[in-house]
Amino acid sequence: MEAKQWTVQIYITEDGDDTHARAVLSTRDPAPVTGRGVARRNPIDRPIPEIGDELAVSRALEDLAVRLHDVASDDIVALTGPVAP
């Protein structure tokens, strides 16, 4: 049985009331898969950076999951042909 390890690196940046996150999945494939997420603090809310981080990262991971699913779908079509209607 072969063990595989995939790595997700999370990058978080803040710009004023905006928090941006990038989730990068590295596998054996030379092209990483990247998801992105953004959180914006409402100006009337207290500034709690951890909440912005959590929201932006969760959105980046959600985007990453969708993109990874798209990669898998493209691979299926490439290897088996298009699905008949």
Side-chain angles (χ1 to χ4, degrees):
M1 179 172 170
E2 179 185 3
K4 299 176 187 177
Q5 180 174 330
W6 291 7
T7 304
V8 176
Q9 293 181 312
I10 306 291
Y11 302 92
I12 303 169
T13 57
E14 293 179 8
D15 182 18
D17 290 335
D18 294 348
T19 302
H20 298 264
R22 186 167 45 103
V24 181
L25 173 65
S26 300
T27 66
R28 291 182 181 173
D29 192 316
V33 182
T34 301
R36 298 180 188 281
V38 177
R40 291 183 177 85
R41 182 179 67 85
N42 186 322
I44 64 171
D45 291 340
R46 292 185 305 150
I48 304 172
E50 294 81 12
I51 294 174
D53 293 351
E54 293 163 351
L55 287 171
V57 169
S58 69
R59 291 170 180 162
L61 289 170
E62 182 177 29
D63 185 46
L64 175 63
V66 169
R67 291 175 186 272
L68 183 58
H69 188 270
D70 290 345
V71 168
S73 296
D74 292 345
D75 289 346
I76 290 168
V77 170
L79 295 172
T80 62
V83 176

